[in-house]
Amino acid sequence: MRKEKASYAPALLPTAYEILREVVKDYPSLLESTDQLLVELTARRDGREAVLEELRNYALRNFYHHDHHEKGPEAVKVILGIFLESVTAPEGRRVRAAAVVGQDFVAEIEGHHAGDQF
């Protein structure tokens, strides 16, 4: 989906997203993909549906890291918060639908791990 690397400027990202970086900071390539996703989340309004799908995929691919990190539950809350915020997005029905699908998916994973850290 990404044709060019997003430029990353930590100071420009919302501080609420920092927890997502912290959970994967020991994995350089994962940190880089997290940074790219966060830049897209904060910068892009066009193509928001695709960014939400990417966030859903990111949550699936990296659930192990979130599940095994002491601050993993906080990271999942941030991801869910992004989906919840997008449910009321003015961008249109498809963006809201993508947000609901992503939110349901992450909540389902969290539910399966209710006895674990989550």
Side-chain angles (χ1 to χ4, degrees), residues 1-67:
M1 174 183 303
R2 293 181 194 96
K3 299 215 178 357
E4 59 187 56
K5 225 179 208 184
S7 61
Y8 172 67
L12 300 178
L13 293 176
T15 57
Y17 292 171
E18 187 58 35
I19 190 71
L20 298 176
R21 297 186 78 248
E22 185 175 337
V23 169
V24 298
K25 70 181 178 189
D26 294 332
Y27 307 93
S29 63
L30 187 50
L31 180 59
E32 182 179 339
S33 68
T34 300
D35 288 344
Q36 291 174 352
L37 177 61
L38 294 176
V39 167
E40 288 181 18
L41 276 168
T42 57
R44 287 182 59 184
R45 282 291 166 207
D46 63 318
R48 185 75 171 175
E49 178 184 0
V51 175
L52 291 173
E53 186 176 321
E54 232 179 289
L55 179 62
R56 179 185 178 274
N57 293 336
Y58 172 87
L60 173 62
R61 282 190 316 267
N62 300 305
F63 182 77
Y64 176 86
H65 298 291
H66 296 143
D67 191 40

Side-chain angles (χ1 to χ4, degrees), residues 79-101:
I79 292 170
L80 283 171
I82 293 167
F83 286 124
L84 284 172
E85 180 182 298
S86 297
V87 168
T88 59
E91 285 88 3
R93 191 183 89 227
R94 292 180 69 170
V95 169
R96 291 189 296 274
V100 169
V101 168

